[in-house]
């Protein structure tokens, strides 16, 4: 079977070039006579792999010298707790901007752990279809928190809030290295790798050194202290070795394609191609408002998603959505089912998705619309 176009929100598609390199090295990495899957993380061979991955993160993201680059486990969801436990230690207060499911969950976790959480802005009033404009954040907060790109709702920050001396924390899981980002404007950035960097299993953390404390909130487990990982080169325990190995290869692929700026140029072209079609269509429409639209995740509905709640309307909407997803899969366009909170369909067009893939999707959408008017 030929490869499909994978529009999954995560784990997502990886560059084919990287997959082929990994396949070629599966049984013998760099003349070691073994796979990275089975080698000791304490070996000199693996040490070079993780050091290269860190060096590439620093190079591509222009990480300042006073920041640590960490590879940890537990996904982005574990960072909801680590951020609160390690940063919420002075006033015990934190500011959150609620722009969807993940920011809401992060705020709930901080509150669960005993922080005084202020939701200083929210786009819940319109189903999280836009990013609130909060250009300046002031107050007696230990940190301010945003989710920079919202995978489910398909929204993205077009600005970085000015937080002054308040450390700004951002979840960049679904947009990491899809664009240039000034790391110095943030106290901490984190990204689950399974969207844009690697298979699931590792989380990238970039944290300013002054935020790494020896005394996080009482009861914080050793593995949930940033200092534990910073002091041990991300190898306090066995790291997700193979995932970090793939991550390194993806980073070299990004460099080869022009770095964050080059990748962003392609991402803009892909997203514009799809949004332009949606905005001109009388059959489909995008759910995210202009000015807040993600380049990575594009949810869309058909004309049968009217908002009506009667049984007949809901049945017709489900029938069309199911038909779309089924026929798209048969055409080699997979994982297009929308999240239950938004409905319809969602195309995740991360860095590794090609322009050809987006064009194939639009061609299918046009054909489907004509056949189902």
């Amino acid at each position: 079977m030929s490869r499909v176009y994978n529009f999954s929100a995560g784990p997502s598609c990886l560059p084919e070039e990287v997959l082929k390199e990994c396949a070629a090295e599966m049984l013998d990495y760099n003349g070691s006579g073994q796979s990275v899957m089975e080698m000791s993380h304490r070996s000199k061979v693996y040490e070079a792999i993780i050091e290269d991955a860190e060096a590439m993160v620093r190079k591509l993201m222009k990480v300042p010298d006073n920041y640590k680059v960490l590879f940890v486990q537990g996904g982005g969801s574990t960072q909801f707790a680590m951020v609160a436990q390690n940063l919420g230690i002075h006033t015990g207060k934190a500011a959150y901007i609620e722009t969807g499911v993940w920011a809401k969950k992060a705020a709930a976790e901080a509150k669960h752990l005993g922080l005084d959480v202020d939701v200083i802005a929210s786009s819940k009033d319109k189903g999280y279809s836009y990013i609130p404009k909060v250009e300046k954040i002031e107050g007696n907060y230990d940190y301010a928190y945003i989710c920079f790109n919202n995978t489910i709702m398909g929204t993205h920050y077009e600005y970085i809030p000015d937080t002054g001396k308040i450390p700004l924390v951002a979840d960049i899981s679904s947009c990491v290295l899809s664009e240039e980002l000034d790391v110095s404007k943030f106290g901490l950035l984190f990204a689950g790798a399974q969207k844009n960097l690697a298979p699931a299993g590792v989380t990238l953390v970039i944290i300013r050194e002054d935020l790494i404390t020896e005394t996080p909130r009482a009861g914080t487990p050793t593995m949930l202290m940033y200092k534990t990982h910073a002091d041990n080169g991300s190898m306090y325990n066995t790291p997700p070795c193979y995932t970090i190995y793939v991550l390194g290869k993806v980073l070299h692929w990004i460099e080869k394609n022009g770095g964050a700026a080059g990748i962003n140029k392609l991402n803009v072209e892909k997203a514009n191609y799809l949004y332009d079609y949606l905005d001109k269509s009388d059959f489909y429409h995008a759910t995210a408002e202009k000015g807040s639209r993600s380049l990575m995740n594009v949810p869309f509905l058909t004309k049968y998603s009217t908002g009506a709640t009667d049984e007949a309307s809901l049945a017709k909407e489900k029938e069309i959505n199911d038909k779309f997803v089924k026929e798209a899969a048969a055409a080699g366009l997979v994982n297009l089912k929308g999240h239950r909170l938004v409905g319809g369909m969602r195309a995740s067009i991360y860095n590794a998705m090609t322009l050809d893939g987006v064009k194939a999707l639009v061609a299918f959408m046009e054909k489907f619309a004509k056949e189902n008017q």
Side-chain angles (χ1 to χ4, degrees):
M1 179 180 178
S2 59
R3 278 182 62 78
V4 297
Y5 289 117
N6 178 13
F7 294 94
S8 172
S12 61
C13 59
L14 288 164
E16 190 169 328
E17 177 183 324
V18 169
L19 292 174
K20 287 178 177 177
E21 286 181 17
C22 294
E25 296 174 348
M26 179 57 73
L27 296 178
D28 180 10
Y29 171 73
N30 200 26
S32 67
Q34 57 188 315
S35 172
V36 177
M37 279 190 174
E38 58 188 344
M39 68 175 53
S40 169
H41 64 294
R42 302 296 182 192
S43 67
K44 290 294 184 183
V45 179
Y46 187 74
E47 185 179 315
I49 290 172
I50 195 169
E51 287 178 355
D52 177 68
E54 178 182 340
M56 289 303 296
V57 170
R58 289 188 175 278
K59 181 178 182 180
L60 292 173
M61 296 187 70
K62 300 175 183 175
V63 179
D65 291 340
N66 63 323
Y67 284 71
K68 290 286 189 182
V69 172
L70 309 176
F71 301 114
V72 300
Q73 299 176 59
S77 294
T78 299
Q79 289 305 303
F80 301 164
M82 287 186 74
V83 166
Q85 290 290 77
N86 287 265
L87 272 60
I89 59 174
H90 300 296
T91 67
K93 293 180 63 177
Y96 282 72
I97 299 178
E98 187 183 290
T99 51
V101 169
W102 302 115
K104 186 176 181 180
K105 285 188 174 184
E109 184 72 358
K111 190 173 183 179
H112 170 71
L113 291 169
L115 267 69
D116 182 1
V117 172
D118 282 351
V119 177
I120 59 172
S122 173
S123 52
K124 186 178 180 180
D125 61 323
K126 293 186 179 180
Y128 302 116
S129 62
Y130 70 99
I131 298 294
K133 200 71 171 176
V134 186
E135 294 185 350
K136 192 170 184 62
I137 300 175
E138 297 176 303
N140 192 25
Y141 297 116
D142 285 333
Y143 65 89
Y145 184 104
I146 62 174
C147 183
F148 211 67
N149 187 82
N150 297 279
T151 318
I152 293 173
M153 308 304 174
T155 58
H156 176 269
Y157 277 79
E158 297 299 318
Y159 71 99
I160 299 174
D162 176 8
T163 59
K165 293 182 179 180
I166 303 169
L168 179 61
V169 175
D171 176 354
I172 57 169
S173 294
S174 52
C175 62
V176 59
L177 279 169
S178 66
E179 61 191 324
E180 294 184 291
L181 198 60
D182 185 351
V183 173
S184 70
K185 292 184 179 297
F186 300 85
L188 187 151
L189 295 163
F190 71 84
Q194 67 273 15
K195 317 283 189 181
N196 256 342
L197 294 178
V202 68
T203 302
L204 171 67
V205 174
I206 302 173
I207 180 171
R208 207 172 64 217
E209 289 179 349
D210 64 287
L211 298 177
I212 299 173
T213 177
E214 293 188 22
T215 54
R217 292 175 69 85
T220 301
T222 301
M223 279 295 291
L224 296 188
M225 297 179 184
Y226 289 121
K227 191 174 190 304
T228 299
H229 303 284
D231 286 352
N232 291 278
S234 298
M235 290 202 286
Y236 174 78
N237 68 329
T238 306
C241 298
Y242 196 79
T243 306
I244 293 170
Y245 154 78
V246 179
L247 181 146
K249 287 193 175 292
V250 171
L251 295 177
H252 282 284
W253 175 83
I254 290 173
E255 181 182 42
K256 191 185 299 184
N257 284 275
I263 290 291
N264 179 250
K265 185 177 179 181
L266 176 60
N267 286 335
V268 169
E269 185 178 8
K270 290 185 299 184
N272 284 347
Y273 192 91
L274 181 51
Y275 282 123
D276 286 349
Y277 172 73
L278 289 169
D279 289 342
K280 293 173 183 174
S281 174
D282 59 3
F283 188 85
Y284 307 98
H285 64 275
T287 61
E289 294 184 8
K290 291 181 179 180
S292 295
R293 288 177 170 177
S294 170
L295 298 180
M296 300 283 94
N297 311 100
V298 186
F300 58 93
L301 305 175
T302 72
K303 68 178 184 180
Y304 295 101
S305 298
T306 62
T309 57
D310 61 280
E311 191 173 326
S313 297
L314 291 173
K316 182 61 178 178
E317 179 181 358
K318 184 178 186 304
E319 176 190 345
I320 289 294
N321 292 345
D322 289 349
K323 185 179 182 183
F324 182 101
V325 172
K326 182 179 180 180
E327 292 184 5
L333 310 165
V334 303
N335 294 316
L336 282 161
K337 184 177 180 179
H339 192 277
R340 67 185 183 280
L341 294 178
V342 180
M345 279 65 67
R346 173 176 54 175
S348 292
I349 50 176
Y350 297 119
N351 289 349
M353 175 55 65
T354 63
L355 180 59
D356 285 344
V358 176
K359 288 183 175 180
L361 172 61
V362 169
F364 170 80
M365 291 170 67
E366 195 164 19
K367 176 176 178 292
F368 185 87
K370 289 177 181 177
E371 294 172 351
N372 294 275
Q373 286 285 355

